[in-house]
Amino acid sequence: MRHRPDFDDAALARAAHALRQDIGPVEPLVPRPLARATPRRSWYRRVAGRTFGAAAVIALLSVLASERRLADPPLRDQAAFVPRYAAPAVAPPVWSEVAADRYRLGEATGRARTMAGLREDTLTTGAFAVQETPFLRLVAIETAEPDGEGSLFVTLARRAAEAGGLSVARTGERGQLATRFGALDTVDATLLDAEGRRACTAFRLNAALRLEGWLCAPLGQLPEPQAVACTVDRLGALPGAQLAPPVAAMLAQARMASCPPEDPATTAAVPASRRAVRTNAARVRHSRPASP
């Protein structure tokens, strides 16, 4: 093979020298080693190791948290934090016992209590535990605020709890009775305590003088509706009692003609008709002496 005269070794050397002068020094290109391929099994092992490590850290933190809770139990018995700007607690109003010198109802015994803007007189006849006699409890309330007691059942439950811890076992029929003070709302109810139970009729009247209570008949019988109406109708004022004008006008109304002026305890049940008493005494028979 023939070589061209213009491409001999000397010419190539001269061209390389001229090129080096034009572009400056050039570092030689050294090939880099390629990264080795990672086997697939080693990748699985690395992921599993990280997962187990994270689970171990979480378990350790849980153990430390449980030990902290056991070492520092919640402060339940200590008083709650109260900020400085909190208003001081206001004590509930306290009842004050006063003389029961306003109302009368047959042979009922009374007691009275007052608080700011409210007075309650309680008249009681009989005892709940004595089944052979009627049991009456009537509460007369003087207040300038409107009635906000809710239903008659709520009123009955609250008044029963106040009367020696009685409770309402069940309620029956509802109705209204006419009195000289207006319509009397009633409901039949069974009251009980730790020793026994009684059938009663609870009542409530919203007027100038609010009336609440119940009447229980003897021997487990419900009182007659007329007996309940007459019991409330016989409520009156004691002589010389200083009453508000609306209450005084309410008690001054004429009584119903159907209610005789009797003690309310005698009207708790319908009286049995009286029959003539028969005497079974044997008569002495006189015989004549025999003639000779």
Side-chain angles (χ1 to χ4, degrees), residues 233-260:
D233 197 81
R234 292 190 181 93
L235 178 68
L238 289 173
Q242 300 295 327
L243 302 176
V247 176
M250 171 183 169
L251 297 179
Q253 298 180 19
R255 296 184 178 180
M256 296 190 305
S258 58
C259 297

Side-chain angles (χ1 to χ4, degrees), residues 122-144:
T122 303
L123 304 175
T124 306
T125 299
F128 184 82
V130 182
Q131 298 279 345
E132 293 76 17
T133 59
F135 175 57
L136 166 68
R137 183 180 176 87
L138 185 145
V139 182
I141 305 105
E142 300 178 28
T143 179

Side-chain angles (χ1 to χ4, degrees), residues 7-8 28 58 75 78 87 100 103 111 155 223 226 228 258 261 268 284 286:
F7 284 98
D8 56 356
I58 294 174
L75 303 178
Q78 296 185 6
Y103 307 104
R111 68 178 185 87
T155 302
Q226 187 65 21
V228 179
S258 58
V284 179
H286 300 277

Side-chain angles (χ1 to χ4, degrees), residues 124-137 156 160 163-169 189-201 214-220:
T124 306
T125 299
F128 184 82
V130 182
Q131 298 279 345
E132 293 76 17
T133 59
F135 175 57
L136 166 68
R137 183 180 176 87
L156 172 61
L166 300 178
S167 60
V168 182
T190 300
L191 303 181
L192 58 86
D193 61 0
E195 298 181 356
R197 62 179 60 198
R198 299 192 67 166
C200 311
T201 297
W214 58 79
L215 176 66
C216 308
L219 303 178

Side-chain angles (χ1 to χ4, degrees), residues 105 177-182 184 215 224-235 253-268 271:
L105 184 58
L177 299 175
T179 66
R180 65 183 177 125
F181 305 130
L184 189 69
L215 176 66
E224 292 293 327
Q226 187 65 21
V228 179
C230 291
T231 298
V232 176
D233 197 81
R234 292 190 181 93
L235 178 68
Q253 298 180 19
R255 296 184 178 180
M256 296 190 305
S258 58
C259 297
E262 300 179 17
D263 184 85
T266 61
T267 61

Side-chain angles (χ1 to χ4, degrees), residues 7-49:
F7 284 98
D8 56 356
D9 296 337
L12 292 175
R14 288 192 300 270
H17 180 71
L19 181 62
R20 184 171 61 250
Q21 289 180 353
D22 292 339
I23 65 176
V26 179
E27 295 181 358
L29 297 176
V30 178
R32 296 180 180 180
L34 297 176
R36 298 179 62 183
T38 304
R40 193 174 185 86
R41 293 182 179 179
S42 62
W43 181 80
Y44 281 139
R45 292 177 182 177
R46 185 169 59 253
V47 173

